[in-house]
Each structure stands twice: as structure tokens, then as C-alpha cells.
């Protein structure tokens, strides 16, 4: 990222150079030996940023839970035994010797196993929404800002209309009409979130496209698509990446809210919000059914926020204004 | 100023028109609106009959025309479940939601202003770290979960306030904290950074060098200037709180628009869903418009943007 920005600055000085010359300059600049590869620099910076590192570690653990739930969960999350319903944490079944470290829910399912399996839906929704809505939003913002004129006007009015809907309401209604499923939940949340990226990217494009290296690219006779994707895009993508990382957590909370209200991925698939909803009726007698999945959500969201803070500082501390 | 207001009003009207289109299209998204409205075991004759009755066979544009005309009169049909006008049902619930939303903003200000000011004036102290960690945790937890935890501890275990319903101040307390959770966290953070900026300004140093007491410098000189970005955030948050009340109302059985909407969605009571979605979007647009105009009045530079 830094390499790109520096390359662009360099290009500003060589407006009259040919296209081949321009690209060659960028390549040599990127390969300067003094600066380590961007991934190495990122790892070093993350290790120094203790809090961000903790976030990354927690997220890696959650990711492993989501990918290999069978490996980490002690029992099948769907195995029920109504005789053992609502048993408290640290409970051992005298008959079978099964140990339930976080207790059981109302119909005797192991709470820990359900939380481990629930990570899958939460993380899938969180990441998919950010990737889908982020990609669409960045592209639309890029086109809107770069083209300007009536294209920009139309797109921005559409953005205003979507912004006018309270987030939760539009997502809820969409899910309700299209009937809840994993795909529909992801789709419904994405419908309302792409605008955030579009607005931010459009704003950056407006200032980047006035810079000399873009004028230079125009002068060198490059096509519009090429200028947009090769010269403008790399310089406007950083804020979108930061927003994306910081909003994974928010998306996880939205998914949990949907499941909590019965509008998420339908049962029997375990979801964190769904476990909470199941436990809600028993909150006065079996608090653990509600408390632990909430902690899982909070830990995951907190970690994405901490990691996002680090990423923002790493990519561009000026982006603090986005907070 | 008037030019700005007119421009902003026109913009709001265009947005409102778009909201109507989307609210209308919601029902047609599946391609079979009649089937959405009927029970699952309805046969083809029932579907055809409803299609005729509701005019679903007409071209989409004709249907939209009808919808548009009745929406202007605030008519969204009758609730399938209660048999009363849908908008009437929504409007009946508005006072409860408004009460909750304003209480939520109020509670968040009561918590966020001292927290933000103290974190900025005692930077890097335990208090600062404490409130920043609190804000971070607040932003990271689902508000309905906080609601359930408050319900469990304050209401069920300590028995200090009732667990559900509406009426007294005690009923309002937990729902207001829950609905105001994200606003509290965000306002604390914004106020802290804007206070830090203001505290390093020359006029604050001047005030201090005049020998004014610290409290006066902080609360009279600095806070007043640091409050401008906070006003913007409050405007933004009011909309978010309005959306957030949906979940909160469900946790505390609060008889507001949000709970009505969720129940209507779960019961496929489509006219009520449409009326509620339109109403909430309308309120949202109205709040944004008011905030923008207020802001332009406070800061004239905005009018020329």
C-alpha cells in the first residue's frame, strides 16, 4: 500500500513519460530493497501493537472453531436429553459420565458444543457481508466518483434512499419476505451495507482524480478503465479495507440480532443469537444459556475491533477520522 | 439559509419517494405477492381470488400508482390479524417508541459527557483507561444481550426495577440503557477526542493563565466548543437508536413500533410491516433533515457546500 502511494507520488514528477516508462518506474520503486515486503512489515507492526495481536489470536481461534467445529466441540450440538435439561456449568452426568463445562440448555444440549458450532454462521455472515458489500460498494463508489456528472448524481441519490432506512428495519423486512436462510441473511445485510463503502470511496476518488499522476495517465492516452483500476483504485482502497475490518464485528451483531428475533438462519443450525433466544425463556432459572453465547459474541466482535484499530494505524493513521 | 432549506427539503422529498418505491417493491420481491399474504395451505383458487381482489394482475406501474396515492393519505390497508388500519396501529405505538428513544439518548448523554470529559482532562489516568475500555466493550456487545444481563441482575436478582412493560420511570430505566448502549460508547469516544483537541487551543491556555478555576475552564470554555461534533453524532445516533429500539422493545416487551414490526414480520402481517417500515424511514428522514438544518444554522459554512 505504501509502495503504491509512493509510486504515485513519483509518477507525479514524470507526467510526460510514456506509459511503459510509468509502469517501469512503479515496478522499480516497489522493489527497492530498503523497505521490507508489506506482509513482513504488517507482521512486525502487529507484534508491536499488543492489543491488535490479542485480537488477531482470538480471531484465529474463532476461525479454527468455525472451520473444524467437530474437532473442538465435546459433543454433537444437536444431541438432546430432556431429562438433563438446564443443568448448570461444571455438570457431570452421573449416568453417562459426560462432562458439560458450560452446562446444558433447556432440552439438554451441550451449551459449549452449540457455541462452538455457532461460530460458523457468525463468522461466515460477518466475513461474507464485508467481502460482498465491500467489493460492490468500492466499485460503485469508484465509478460514481470517477465518472461524476449524472452517473454520480443518480448513484448518490440511490445511496441517500438506502441511507434513509433504519438499518435493522430494512434487513429484517428483507429477510422476512425472502424467508430466512444463510444466503438470504448475507444478501439482506449486504443490501444495506454497500453504501457505506460507496460513499467513502467516492469521496477519496474525488480528490485522487484531480491529482497530477491521474492527469498524466490521461495525457499518456490510457483508457478510462485502466486509469480507474490501475491508478485510482489502489489509492482509495485503504479506507474501505479499514471500514471493512471494523465492521465485521457489527455484522456479527446484526446476524445475532436477526437470529435472536427468529429471523436468522433457521434451527436446528446453532447460531449464537439463536442459543440466546432459546435461553431467554429460562433466564431466571438457567442464566448460563444466555450469558455464554453473549460472551462469545462480545469476544469475537471486540477482537475484530482491536484488529481493525491496528490495521487502521498500520495503513494510514489519518483514517482515525473514520472512527 | 432559505435556499439551503429548500434544497435540502427537495432532496428529502426525492428520498421519500424512493422509500415509497422500495416499500412497495418489498411485497413484489418474491414475484408472488398473493402467496406471501395467504396461509401456506391456500389453493390456486384462493391465490387467484386474492390476485383479483388486490389487483396483483395489473401492470406493476398501475399497482404502484394506487399504492402511491393511498400512501400519500397514509393508508396502507388493514392489518390481516387485527383488522384495523395498519397505519393507525403503528401511530398508536409511536409515543412508546419516542419515549424510549429520547430516554436512551438522555441516558447516554448522562453517562457519556462526564466519561468523555474526565478521560480527556485526565488523559492516561485509570479513569481514562477505564472509560475507554468501557466504551470499547460497549461497542462490542450486542445490545439485546446487555438487556438480558441487566434484566437478570438488576430486575430478577436484585429486584430493583420491573422486568417488562411500560408506565413508570422504573420501567423505562433498563430499556433506555439498553437502547442507548451504542450511542453512549460512541459519544464518549467522540467527546474525548474533541475535548483533547480543544484543550490544547490557545483560548484555553489564555483562560487558564487568567487564573480561572479548572472546572470553569473545562466546563465553560472547553466543553462548549468540544460539543459541536457531539451534536452531529447525537443527530446520527438518534436514527440508530430508533432502529436499535426494535431489538430492545422485544427484550423488555416494550409496546412500541419496533415490537409491533417484528411481530408483524413474524406473522406475515404485510400491511403493518409496510406501514411501519414507511413510518420509521419517514421519521429517520425527518430527523436527518432537522439535524442538517440545525447544523447549517450553527455553522454557516455548511450552507455553501
Amino acid at each position: 500500500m505504501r509502495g503504491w502511494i509512493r509510486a504515485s507520488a513519483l509518477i507525479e514528477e514524470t507526467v510526460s513519460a510514456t506509459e511503459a516508462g510509468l509502469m517501469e518506474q512503479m515496478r522499480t520503486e516497489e522493489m527497492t530493497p530498503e523497505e521490507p515486503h508489506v506482509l513482513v512489515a504488517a507482521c512486525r507492526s502487529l507484534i508491536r501493537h499488543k492489543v491488535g495481536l490479542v485480537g488477531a489470536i482470538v480471531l484465529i481461534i474463532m476461525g479454527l472453531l468455525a472451520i473444524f467445529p467437530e474437532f473442538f466441540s465435546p459433543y454433537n450440538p444437536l444431541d438432546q436429553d430432556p431429562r438433563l435439561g438446564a443443568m448448570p456449568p461444571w455438570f457431570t452426568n452421573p449416568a453417562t459420565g459426560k462432562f458439560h463445562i458450560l452446562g446444558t440448555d433447556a432440552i439438554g444440549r451441550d451449551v459449549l458444543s452449540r457455541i462452538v458450532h455457532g461460530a460458523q454462521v457468525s463468522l461466515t455472515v460477518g466475513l461474507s457481508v464485508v467481502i460482498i458489500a465491500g467489493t460492490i460498494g468500492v466499485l460503485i463508489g469508484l465509478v460514481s466518483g470517477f465518472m461524476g456528472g449524472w452517473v454520480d448524481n443518480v448513484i448518490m441519490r440511490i445511496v441517500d434512499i438506502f441511507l434513509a432506512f433504519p438499518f435493522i428495519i430494512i434487513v429484517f423486512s428483507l429477510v422476512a419476505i425472502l424467508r430466512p436462510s444463510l444466503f438470504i441473511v448475507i444478501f439482506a445485510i449486504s443490501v444495506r451495507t454497500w453504501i457505506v463503502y460507496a460513499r467513502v470511496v467516492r469521496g477519496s476518488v474525488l480528490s485522487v482524480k484531480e491529482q497530477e499522476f491521474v492527469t498524466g495517465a490521461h495525457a499518456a492516452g490510457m483508457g478510462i478503465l485502466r486509469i480507474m483500476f490501475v491508478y485510482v483504485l489502489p489509492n482509495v482502497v485503504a479506507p474501505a479495507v479499514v471500514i471493512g475490518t471494523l465492521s465485521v464485528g457489527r455484522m456479527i451483531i446484526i446476524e445475532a440480532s436477526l437470529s435472536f428475533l427468529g429471523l436468522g438462519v433457521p434451527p436446528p443450525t446453532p447460531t449464537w443469537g439463536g442459543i440466546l433466544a432459546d435461553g431467554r425463556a429460562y433466564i431466571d432459572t438457567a442464566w448460563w444459556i444466555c450469558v455464554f453465547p453473549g460472551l462469545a459474541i462480545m469476544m469475537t466482535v471486540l477482537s475484530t475491533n482491536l484488529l481493525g484499530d491496528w490495521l487502521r494505524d498500520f495503513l494510514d493513521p489519518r483514517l482515525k477520522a473514520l472512527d | 439559509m432559505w435556499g439551503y432549506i429548500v434544497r435540502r427539503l427537495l432532496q428529502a422529498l426525492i428520498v421519500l419517494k424512493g422509500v415509497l418505491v422500495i416499500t412497495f417493491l418489498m411485497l413484489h420481491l418474491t414475484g408472488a405477492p398473493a402467496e406471501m399474504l395467504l396461509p401456506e395451505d391456500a389453493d390456486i383458487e384462493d391465490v387467484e381470488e386474492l390476485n383479483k381482489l388486490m389487483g396483483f394482475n395489473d401492470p406493476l406501474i398501475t399497482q404502484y400508482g394506487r399504492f402511491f396515492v393511498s400512501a400519500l393519505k397514509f393508508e396502507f390497508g388493514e392489518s390481516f390479524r387485527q383488522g384495523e388500519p395498519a397505519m393507525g396501529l403503528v401511530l398508536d405505538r409511536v409515543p412508546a417508541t419516542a419515549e424510549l428513544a429520547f430516554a436512551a439518548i438522555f441516558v447516554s448523554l448522562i453517562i457519556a459527557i462526564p466519561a468523555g470529559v474526565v478521560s480527556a482532562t485526565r488523559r492516561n489516568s485509570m479513569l481514562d483507561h477505564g472509560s475507554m475500555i468501557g466504551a470499547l466493550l460497549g461497542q462490542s456487545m450486542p445490545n439485546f444481550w446487555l438487556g438480558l444481563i441487566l434484566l437478570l441482575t438488576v430486575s430478577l436478582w436484585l429486584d430493583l426495577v420491573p422486568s417488562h412493560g411500560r408506565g413508570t420511570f422504573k420501567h423505562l430505566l433498563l430499556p433506555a440503557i439498553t437502547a442507548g448502549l451504542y450511542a453512549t460508547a460512541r459519544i464518549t469516544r467522540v467527546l474525548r477526542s474533541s475535548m483533547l483537541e480543544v484543550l490544547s487551543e490557545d483560548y484555553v491556555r489564555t483562560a487558564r493563565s487568567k487564573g480561572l478555576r479548572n472546572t470553569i475552564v473545562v466546563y465553560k470554555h472547553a466543553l462548549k466548543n468540544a460539543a459541536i461534533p457531539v451534536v452531529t453524532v447525537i443527530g446520527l445516533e438518534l436514527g440508530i437508536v430508533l432502529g436499535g429500539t426494535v431489538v430492545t422493545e422485544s427484550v423488555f416487551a416494550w409496546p412500541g413500533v419496533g415490537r409491533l414490526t417484528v411481530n408483524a414480520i413474524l406473522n406475515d402481517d404485510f400491511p403493518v410491516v409496510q406501514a411501519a417500515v414507511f413510518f420509521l424511514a419517514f421519521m429517520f428522514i425527518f430527523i436527518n433533515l432537522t439535524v442538517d438544518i440545525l447544523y447549517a444554522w450553527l455553522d454557516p459554512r455548511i450552507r455553501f457546500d
Side-chain angles (χ1 to χ4, degrees), chain A residues 140-158:
Chain A
I140 292 182
L142 183 65
V143 171
S144 183
F146 196 79
M147 293 297 182
W150 67 269
V151 176
D152 185 36
N153 250 324
V154 170
I155 293 178
M156 282 304 115
R157 283 300 85 76
I158 296 176

mmCIF file with all atom_site columns, all heavy atoms in Angstrom, chain A residues 140-158:
data_model
loop_
_atom_site.group_PDB
_atom_site.id
_atom_site.type_symbol
_atom_site.label_atom_id
_atom_site.label_alt_id
_atom_site.label_comp_id
_atom_site.label_asym_id
_atom_site.label_entity_id
_atom_site.label_seq_id
_atom_site.pdbx_PDB_ins_code
_atom_site.Cartn_x
_atom_site.Cartn_y
_atom_site.Cartn_z
_atom_site.occupancy
_atom_site.B_iso_or_equiv
_atom_site.pdbx_formal_charge
_atom_site.auth_seq_id
_atom_site.auth_comp_id
_atom_site.auth_asym_id
_atom_site.auth_atom_id
_atom_site.pdbx_PDB_model_num
ATOM 1   N N   . ILE A 1 140 ? -18.829 0.641  -7.002  1.00 0.00 ? 140 ILE A N   1
ATOM 2   C CA  . ILE A 1 140 ? -19.819 1.684  -7.291  1.00 0.00 ? 140 ILE A CA  1
ATOM 3   C C   . ILE A 1 140 ? -19.269 3.061  -6.923  1.00 0.00 ? 140 ILE A C   1
ATOM 4   O O   . ILE A 1 140 ? -19.418 4.020  -7.677  1.00 0.00 ? 140 ILE A O   1
ATOM 5   C CB  . ILE A 1 140 ? -21.136 1.389  -6.549  1.00 0.00 ? 140 ILE A CB  1
ATOM 6   C CG1 . ILE A 1 140 ? -21.774 0.132  -7.149  1.00 0.00 ? 140 ILE A CG1 1
ATOM 7   C CG2 . ILE A 1 140 ? -22.106 2.567  -6.668  1.00 0.00 ? 140 ILE A CG2 1
ATOM 8   C CD1 . ILE A 1 140 ? -23.104 -0.246 -6.556  1.00 0.00 ? 140 ILE A CD1 1
ATOM 9   N N   . GLY A 1 141 ? -18.600 3.139  -5.775  1.00 0.00 ? 141 GLY A N   1
ATOM 10  C CA  . GLY A 1 141 ? -18.018 4.415  -5.351  1.00 0.00 ? 141 GLY A CA  1
ATOM 11  C C   . GLY A 1 141 ? -16.970 4.903  -6.340  1.00 0.00 ? 141 GLY A C   1
ATOM 12  O O   . GLY A 1 141 ? -16.885 6.091  -6.652  1.00 0.00 ? 141 GLY A O   1
ATOM 13  N N   . LEU A 1 142 ? -16.194 3.944  -6.846  1.00 0.00 ? 142 LEU A N   1
ATOM 14  C CA  . LEU A 1 142 ? -15.138 4.275  -7.807  1.00 0.00 ? 142 LEU A CA  1
ATOM 15  C C   . LEU A 1 142 ? -15.757 4.850  -9.075  1.00 0.00 ? 142 LEU A C   1
ATOM 16  O O   . LEU A 1 142 ? -15.344 5.912  -9.563  1.00 0.00 ? 142 LEU A O   1
ATOM 17  C CB  . LEU A 1 142 ? -14.354 2.997  -8.124  1.00 0.00 ? 142 LEU A CB  1
ATOM 18  C CG  . LEU A 1 142 ? -13.152 3.107  -9.056  1.00 0.00 ? 142 LEU A CG  1
ATOM 19  C CD1 . LEU A 1 142 ? -12.067 3.946  -8.422  1.00 0.00 ? 142 LEU A CD1 1
ATOM 20  C CD2 . LEU A 1 142 ? -12.599 1.724  -9.382  1.00 0.00 ? 142 LEU A CD2 1
ATOM 21  N N   . VAL A 1 143 ? -16.757 4.157  -9.609  1.00 0.00 ? 143 VAL A N   1
ATOM 22  C CA  . VAL A 1 143 ? -17.404 4.614  -10.840 1.00 0.00 ? 143 VAL A CA  1
ATOM 23  C C   . VAL A 1 143 ? -18.070 5.965  -10.601 1.00 0.00 ? 143 VAL A C   1
ATOM 24  O O   . VAL A 1 143 ? -17.908 6.911  -11.380 1.00 0.00 ? 143 VAL A O   1
ATOM 25  C CB  . VAL A 1 143 ? -18.450 3.578  -11.307 1.00 0.00 ? 143 VAL A CB  1
ATOM 26  C CG1 . VAL A 1 143 ? -19.280 4.146  -12.448 1.00 0.00 ? 143 VAL A CG1 1
ATOM 27  C CG2 . VAL A 1 143 ? -17.759 2.298  -11.740 1.00 0.00 ? 143 VAL A CG2 1
ATOM 28  N N   . SER A 1 144 ? -18.786 6.063  -9.470  1.00 0.00 ? 144 SER A N   1
ATOM 29  C CA  . SER A 1 144 ? -19.529 7.282  -9.165  1.00 0.00 ? 144 SER A CA  1
ATOM 30  C C   . SER A 1 144 ? -18.606 8.497  -9.087  1.00 0.00 ? 144 SER A C   1
ATOM 31  O O   . SER A 1 144 ? -18.851 9.524  -9.705  1.00 0.00 ? 144 SER A O   1
ATOM 32  C CB  . SER A 1 144 ? -20.272 7.085  -7.855  1.00 0.00 ? 144 SER A CB  1
ATOM 33  O OG  . SER A 1 144 ? -21.053 8.182  -7.547  1.00 0.00 ? 144 SER A OG  1
ATOM 34  N N   . GLY A 1 145 ? -17.532 8.348  -8.321  1.00 0.00 ? 145 GLY A N   1
ATOM 35  C CA  . GLY A 1 145 ? -16.612 9.467  -8.133  1.00 0.00 ? 145 GLY A CA  1
ATOM 36  C C   . GLY A 1 145 ? -15.854 9.796  -9.401  1.00 0.00 ? 145 GLY A C   1
ATOM 37  O O   . GLY A 1 145 ? -15.651 10.960 -9.742  1.00 0.00 ? 145 GLY A O   1
ATOM 38  N N   . PHE A 1 146 ? -15.446 8.749  -10.127 1.00 0.00 ? 146 PHE A N   1
ATOM 39  C CA  . PHE A 1 146 ? -14.608 8.967  -11.300 1.00 0.00 ? 146 PHE A CA  1
ATOM 40  C C   . PHE A 1 146 ? -15.402 9.551  -12.460 1.00 0.00 ? 146 PHE A C   1
ATOM 41  O O   . PHE A 1 146 ? -14.941 10.441 -13.151 1.00 0.00 ? 146 PHE A O   1
ATOM 42  C CB  . PHE A 1 146 ? -13.947 7.655  -11.719 1.00 0.00 ? 146 PHE A CB  1
ATOM 43  C CG  . PHE A 1 146 ? -12.803 7.841  -12.662 1.00 0.00 ? 146 PHE A CG  1
ATOM 44  C CD1 . PHE A 1 146 ? -11.555 8.229  -12.184 1.00 0.00 ? 146 PHE A CD1 1
ATOM 45  C CD2 . PHE A 1 146 ? -12.970 7.654  -14.019 1.00 0.00 ? 146 PHE A CD2 1
ATOM 46  C CE1 . PHE A 1 146 ? -10.503 8.427  -13.058 1.00 0.00 ? 146 PHE A CE1 1
ATOM 47  C CE2 . PHE A 1 146 ? -11.913 7.849  -14.895 1.00 0.00 ? 146 PHE A CE2 1
ATOM 48  C CZ  . PHE A 1 146 ? -10.679 8.239  -14.406 1.00 0.00 ? 146 PHE A CZ  1
ATOM 49  N N   . MET A 1 147 ? -16.603 9.028  -12.681 1.00 0.00 ? 147 MET A N   1
ATOM 50  C CA  . MET A 1 147 ? -17.420 9.482  -13.804 1.00 0.00 ? 147 MET A CA  1
ATOM 51  C C   . MET A 1 147 ? -17.995 10.871 -13.545 1.00 0.00 ? 147 MET A C   1
ATOM 52  O O   . MET A 1 147 ? -18.091 11.685 -14.455 1.00 0.00 ? 147 MET A O   1
ATOM 53  C CB  . MET A 1 147 ? -18.571 8.513  -14.063 1.00 0.00 ? 147 MET A CB  1
ATOM 54  C CG  . MET A 1 147 ? -18.124 7.158  -14.550 1.00 0.00 ? 147 MET A CG  1
ATOM 55  S SD  . MET A 1 147 ? -17.288 7.331  -16.126 1.00 0.00 ? 147 MET A SD  1
ATOM 56  C CE  . MET A 1 147 ? -16.921 5.648  -16.502 1.00 0.00 ? 147 MET A CE  1
ATOM 57  N N   . GLY A 1 148 ? -18.423 11.109 -12.294 1.00 0.00 ? 148 GLY A N   1
ATOM 58  C CA  . GLY A 1 148 ? -19.038 12.392 -11.973 1.00 0.00 ? 148 GLY A CA  1
ATOM 59  C C   . GLY A 1 148 ? -20.329 12.595 -12.758 1.00 0.00 ? 148 GLY A C   1
ATOM 60  O O   . GLY A 1 148 ? -20.932 11.626 -13.238 1.00 0.00 ? 148 GLY A O   1
ATOM 61  N N   . GLY A 1 149 ? -20.794 13.830 -12.863 1.00 0.00 ? 149 GLY A N   1
ATOM 62  C CA  . GLY A 1 149 ? -21.967 14.158 -13.680 1.00 0.00 ? 149 GLY A CA  1
ATOM 63  C C   . GLY A 1 149 ? -23.225 13.415 -13.260 1.00 0.00 ? 149 GLY A C   1
ATOM 64  O O   . GLY A 1 149 ? -23.433 13.167 -12.074 1.00 0.00 ? 149 GLY A O   1
ATOM 65  N N   . TRP A 1 150 ? -24.048 13.048 -14.256 1.00 0.00 ? 150 TRP A N   1
ATOM 66  C CA  . TRP A 1 150 ? -25.346 12.446 -13.910 1.00 0.00 ? 150 TRP A CA  1
ATOM 67  C C   . TRP A 1 150 ? -25.192 11.061 -13.303 1.00 0.00 ? 150 TRP A C   1
ATOM 68  O O   . TRP A 1 150 ? -25.978 10.663 -12.453 1.00 0.00 ? 150 TRP A O   1
ATOM 69  C CB  . TRP A 1 150 ? -26.271 12.416 -15.132 1.00 0.00 ? 150 TRP A CB  1
ATOM 70  C CG  . TRP A 1 150 ? -25.827 11.497 -16.233 1.00 0.00 ? 150 TRP A CG  1
ATOM 71  C CD1 . TRP A 1 150 ? -25.044 11.807 -17.291 1.00 0.00 ? 150 TRP A CD1 1
ATOM 72  C CD2 . TRP A 1 150 ? -26.135 10.103 -16.349 1.00 0.00 ? 150 TRP A CD2 1
ATOM 73  N NE1 . TRP A 1 150 ? -24.831 10.701 -18.065 1.00 0.00 ? 150 TRP A NE1 1
ATOM 74  C CE2 . TRP A 1 150 ? -25.495 9.640  -17.524 1.00 0.00 ? 150 TRP A CE2 1
ATOM 75  C CE3 . TRP A 1 150 ? -26.881 9.200  -15.593 1.00 0.00 ? 150 TRP A CE3 1
ATOM 76  C CZ2 . TRP A 1 150 ? -25.582 8.311  -17.949 1.00 0.00 ? 150 TRP A CZ2 1
ATOM 77  C CZ3 . TRP A 1 150 ? -26.970 7.879  -16.014 1.00 0.00 ? 150 TRP A CZ3 1
ATOM 78  C CH2 . TRP A 1 150 ? -26.314 7.450  -17.175 1.00 0.00 ? 150 TRP A CH2 1
ATOM 79  N N   . VAL A 1 151 ? -24.141 10.322 -13.710 1.00 0.00 ? 151 VAL A N   1
ATOM 80  C CA  . VAL A 1 151 ? -23.921 8.984  -13.130 1.00 0.00 ? 151 VAL A CA  1
ATOM 81  C C   . VAL A 1 151 ? -23.780 9.125  -11.619 1.00 0.00 ? 151 VAL A C   1
ATOM 82  O O   . VAL A 1 151 ? -24.444 8.442  -10.825 1.00 0.00 ? 151 VAL A O   1
ATOM 83  C CB  . VAL A 1 151 ? -22.649 8.338  -13.714 1.00 0.00 ? 151 VAL A CB  1
ATOM 84  C CG1 . VAL A 1 151 ? -22.368 7.000  -13.060 1.00 0.00 ? 151 VAL A CG1 1
ATOM 85  C CG2 . VAL A 1 151 ? -22.775 8.195  -15.220 1.00 0.00 ? 151 VAL A CG2 1
ATOM 86  N N   . ASP A 1 152 ? -22.905 10.059 -11.236 1.00 0.00 ? 152 ASP A N   1
ATOM 87  C CA  . ASP A 1 152 ? -22.646 10.309 -9.825  1.00 0.00 ? 152 ASP A CA  1
ATOM 88  C C   . ASP A 1 152 ? -23.926 10.739 -9.111  1.00 0.00 ? 152 ASP A C   1
ATOM 89  O O   . ASP A 1 152 ? -24.250 10.237 -8.027  1.00 0.00 ? 152 ASP A O   1
ATOM 90  C CB  . ASP A 1 152 ? -21.584 11.406 -9.727  1.00 0.00 ? 152 ASP A CB  1
ATOM 91  C CG  . ASP A 1 152 ? -21.154 11.655 -8.297  1.00 0.00 ? 152 ASP A CG  1
ATOM 92  O OD1 . ASP A 1 152 ? -21.094 10.670 -7.539  1.00 0.00 ? 152 ASP A OD1 1
ATOM 93  O OD2 . ASP A 1 152 ? -20.894 12.813 -7.949  1.00 0.00 ? 152 ASP A OD2 1
ATOM 94  N N   . ASN A 1 153 ? -24.673 11.631 -9.764  1.00 0.00 ? 153 ASN A N   1
ATOM 95  C CA  . ASN A 1 153 ? -25.902 12.129 -9.160  1.00 0.00 ? 153 ASN A CA  1
ATOM 96  C C   . ASN A 1 153 ? -26.902 11.020 -8.882  1.00 0.00 ? 153 ASN A C   1
ATOM 97  O O   . ASN A 1 153 ? -27.444 10.916 -7.787  1.00 0.00 ? 153 ASN A O   1
ATOM 98  C CB  . ASN A 1 153 ? -26.554 13.134 -10.116 1.00 0.00 ? 153 ASN A CB  1
ATOM 99  C CG  . ASN A 1 153 ? -26.457 14.526 -9.556  1.00 0.00 ? 153 ASN A CG  1
ATOM 100 O OD1 . ASN A 1 153 ? -26.564 14.682 -8.342  1.00 0.00 ? 153 ASN A OD1 1
ATOM 101 N ND2 . ASN A 1 153 ? -26.248 15.507 -10.413 1.00 0.00 ? 153 ASN A ND2 1
ATOM 102 N N   . VAL A 1 154 ? -27.128 10.172 -9.900  1.00 0.00 ? 154 VAL A N   1
ATOM 103 C CA  . VAL A 1 154 ? -28.086 9.078  -9.744  1.00 0.00 ? 154 VAL A CA  1
ATOM 104 C C   . VAL A 1 154 ? -27.636 8.133  -8.636  1.00 0.00 ? 154 VAL A C   1
ATOM 105 O O   . VAL A 1 154 ? -28.406 7.786  -7.724  1.00 0.00 ? 154 VAL A O   1
ATOM 106 C CB  . VAL A 1 154 ? -28.248 8.317  -11.072 1.00 0.00 ? 154 VAL A CB  1
ATOM 107 C CG1 . VAL A 1 154 ? -29.037 7.033  -10.862 1.00 0.00 ? 154 VAL A CG1 1
ATOM 108 C CG2 . VAL A 1 154 ? -28.926 9.208  -12.097 1.00 0.00 ? 154 VAL A CG2 1
ATOM 109 N N   . ILE A 1 155 ? -26.359 7.749  -8.684  1.00 0.00 ? 155 ILE A N   1
ATOM 110 C CA  . ILE A 1 155 ? -25.870 6.794  -7.680  1.00 0.00 ? 155 ILE A CA  1
ATOM 111 C C   . ILE A 1 155 ? -25.992 7.376  -6.275  1.00 0.00 ? 155 ILE A C   1
ATOM 112 O O   . ILE A 1 155 ? -26.437 6.704  -5.344  1.00 0.00 ? 155 ILE A O   1
ATOM 113 C CB  . ILE A 1 155 ? -24.413 6.382  -7.976  1.00 0.00 ? 155 ILE A CB  1
ATOM 114 C CG1 . ILE A 1 155 ? -24.377 5.565  -9.271  1.00 0.00 ? 155 ILE A CG1 1
ATOM 115 C CG2 . ILE A 1 155 ? -23.835 5.567  -6.827  1.00 0.00 ? 155 ILE A CG2 1
ATOM 116 C CD1 . ILE A 1 155 ? -22.994 5.128  -9.704  1.00 0.00 ? 155 ILE A CD1 1
ATOM 117 N N   . MET A 1 156 ? -25.643 8.646  -6.128  1.00 0.00 ? 156 MET A N   1
ATOM 118 C CA  . MET A 1 156 ? -25.693 9.238  -4.789  1.00 0.00 ? 156 MET A CA  1
ATOM 119 C C   . MET A 1 156 ? -27.133 9.373  -4.274  1.00 0.00 ? 156 MET A C   1
ATOM 120 O O   . MET A 1 156 ? -27.381 9.266  -3.083  1.00 0.00 ? 156 MET A O   1
ATOM 121 C CB  . MET A 1 156 ? -24.988 10.602 -4.776  1.00 0.00 ? 156 MET A CB  1
ATOM 122 C CG  . MET A 1 156 ? -23.480 10.486 -4.732  1.00 0.00 ? 156 MET A CG  1
ATOM 123 S SD  . MET A 1 156 ? -22.911 9.495  -3.311  1.00 0.00 ? 156 MET A SD  1
ATOM 124 C CE  . MET A 1 156 ? -22.167 8.104  -4.105  1.00 0.00 ? 156 MET A CE  1
ATOM 125 N N   . ARG A 1 157 ? -28.098 9.612  -5.179  1.00 0.00 ? 157 ARG A N   1
ATOM 126 C CA  . ARG A 1 157 ? -29.499 9.664  -4.728  1.00 0.00 ? 157 ARG A CA  1
ATOM 127 C C   . ARG A 1 157 ? -29.947 8.279  -4.258  1.00 0.00 ? 157 ARG A C   1
ATOM 128 O O   . ARG A 1 157 ? -30.623 8.134  -3.236  1.00 0.00 ? 157 ARG A O   1
ATOM 129 C CB  . ARG A 1 157 ? -30.426 10.147 -5.846  1.00 0.00 ? 157 ARG A CB  1
ATOM 130 C CG  . ARG A 1 157 ? -30.426 11.653 -6.126  1.00 0.00 ? 157 ARG A CG  1
ATOM 131 C CD  . ARG A 1 157 ? -30.851 12.499 -4.937  1.00 0.00 ? 157 ARG A CD  1
ATOM 132 N NE  . ARG A 1 157 ? -29.762 12.796 -4.021  1.00 0.00 ? 157 ARG A NE  1
ATOM 133 C CZ  . ARG A 1 157 ? -28.813 13.692 -4.260  1.00 0.00 ? 157 ARG A CZ  1
ATOM 134 N NH1 . ARG A 1 157 ? -28.818 14.399 -5.355  1.00 0.00 ? 157 ARG A NH1 1
ATOM 135 N NH2 . ARG A 1 157 ? -27.843 13.902 -3.384  1.00 0.00 ? 157 ARG A NH2 1
ATOM 136 N N   . ILE A 1 158 ? -29.511 7.219  -5.002  1.00 0.00 ? 158 ILE A N   1
ATOM 137 C CA  . ILE A 1 158 ? -29.857 5.856  -4.580  1.00 0.00 ? 158 ILE A CA  1
ATOM 138 C C   . ILE A 1 158 ? -29.271 5.591  -3.191  1.00 0.00 ? 158 ILE A C   1
ATOM 139 O O   . ILE A 1 158 ? -29.917 5.034  -2.310  1.00 0.00 ? 158 ILE A O   1
ATOM 140 C CB  . ILE A 1 158 ? -29.354 4.825  -5.606  1.00 0.00 ? 158 ILE A CB  1
ATOM 141 C CG1 . ILE A 1 158 ? -30.080 5.042  -6.933  1.00 0.00 ? 158 ILE A CG1 1
ATOM 142 C CG2 . ILE A 1 158 ? -29.548 3.403  -5.112  1.00 0.00 ? 158 ILE A CG2 1
ATOM 143 C CD1 . ILE A 1 158 ? -29.612 4.154  -8.060  1.00 0.00 ? 158 ILE A CD1 1
#
